[in-house]
Amino acid sequence: MVGKTSSSRNLVVGALALALFTGFLWAGAIVAGLSDQIADGEGMYVDNCSSCHGKNLGGKSAPSLIGEGFFTSLSSRNIETAKELYNYLKATMPYHRPGALSDQQYLFITCFLLWQNGIDLGGEVSVGDLKGVQLP
Ligand code: HEC
């Protein structure tokens, strides 16, 4: 009984230490390339977007951001390039507090959304680079 309690306490302490360590790595992460931009974008998406659009992008109270209909829907909003998607996000999302995130956060979330929808930007990108990326 005693042994069980202390081992489950160790488990909790271990999990906390791991969470702190991961948080530390996260905060200190240096953007080395597109994969880091996507990974950071995923965390930002979960924090700022998933409550309405769903953790797996499948939609909840707000439309799905993945799958066949996604680019069709964007196109109906006159969003034809990655830069236009970025501009749209910055101007309108998160729905109740548009523009609340930094330019870098909007950029990384854009990278994450495109990656999830099969678009490989090819390498680390800046906001300016998004102009040349035509959406399907
Ligand atoms: C409070 C809920 C809410 C949050 C949080 C939110 N959205 Fe939205 N989002 C919506 C709603 C509602 C719409 C539909 C708006 C419309 O039709 O004009 C939408 C539409 C969109 C669209 C267009 C989808 C399409 O099919 O045309 C995109 C892209 C999008 N959101 C991305 C994001 C991103 C990225 C974030 C986080 C930075 C975010 N949203 C946060 C509610 C939300």
Side-chain angles (χ1 to χ4, degrees):
M1 217 24 203
V2 172
K4 205 175 176 193
T5 310
S6 84
S7 83
S8 68
R9 189 177 297 144
N10 283 345
L11 218 107
V12 171
V13 171
L16 274 176
L18 187 70
L20 280 173
F21 182 59
T22 320
F24 174 74
L25 283 183
W26 190 266
I30 297 163
V31 176
L34 179 63
S35 59
D36 290 327
Q37 294 181 305
I38 293 168
D40 285 1
E42 178 169 16
M44 292 163 189
Y45 173 85
V46 169
D47 289 348
N48 297 288
C49 320
S50 65
S51 59
C52 296
H53 290 283
K55 275 223 159 103
N56 57 4
L57 302 164
K60 232 171 136 186
S61 61
S64 162
L65 303 179
I66 195 159
E68 281 183 16
F70 181 55
F71 290 118
T72 313
S73 179
L74 291 186
S75 173
S76 74
R77 298 178 193 275
N78 291 319
I79 299 170
E80 309 284 358
T81 66
K83 179 65 170 28
E84 285 162 358
L85 175 58
Y86 167 92
N87 290 345
Y88 171 82
L89 296 179
K90 195 172 160 174
T92 65
M93 295 294 144
Y95 199 62
H96 296 305
R97 43 189 188 102
L101 310 183
S102 69
D103 289 1
Q104 194 189 50
Q105 287 176 305
Y106 285 114
L107 172 63
F108 290 3
I109 291 173
T110 302
C111 293
F112 168 68
L113 286 182
L114 292 180
W115 174 259
Q116 287 293 319
N117 282 283
I119 295 183
D120 183 350
L121 294 167
E124 186 172 352
V125 284
S126 67
V127 173
D129 294 334
L130 299 179
K131 269 190 202 135
V133 181
Q134 200 69 32
L135 301 181

